[in-house]
Amino acid sequence: TRWREAAECYGRAAVAQPRNPWLYSQLGAVRAKAGDTDGARAAFAQALQLAPDDAAAKEGLQALEAAAAGGNP
């Protein structure tokens, strides 16, 4: 799917720029869209490790947790 292709692209970019939290936030978002919730969590966690105030990563994790609890993401 396009989301998986996007995840592969962001994954390669994150390898090339491992200290870029924006890339990990984007990677988390596209992994979530692709249905890879574990991968999305890992990417969001990496973004937050690099930038603890990253709002996109925080929101992404919250959406995953809500979905896992049966709520709407």
Side-chain angles (χ1 to χ4, degrees):
T1 67
R2 294 283 183 193
W3 292 117
R4 289 189 201 284
E5 291 172 16
E8 290 174 14
C9 289
Y10 277 114
R12 286 191 297 272
V15 168
Q17 297 181 35
R19 303 211 36 89
N20 186 331
W22 181 83
L23 287 173
Y24 286 103
S25 289
Q26 296 304 305
L27 179 58
V30 296
R31 282 180 173 172
K33 292 281 189 183
D36 178 8
T37 55
D38 290 338
R41 276 190 183 87
F44 288 137
Q46 181 64 28
L48 290 170
Q49 182 177 351
L50 294 169
D53 295 328
D54 186 317
K58 287 179 182 180
E59 291 171 11
L61 277 177
Q62 289 171 349
L64 290 174
E65 291 169 6
N72 291 326

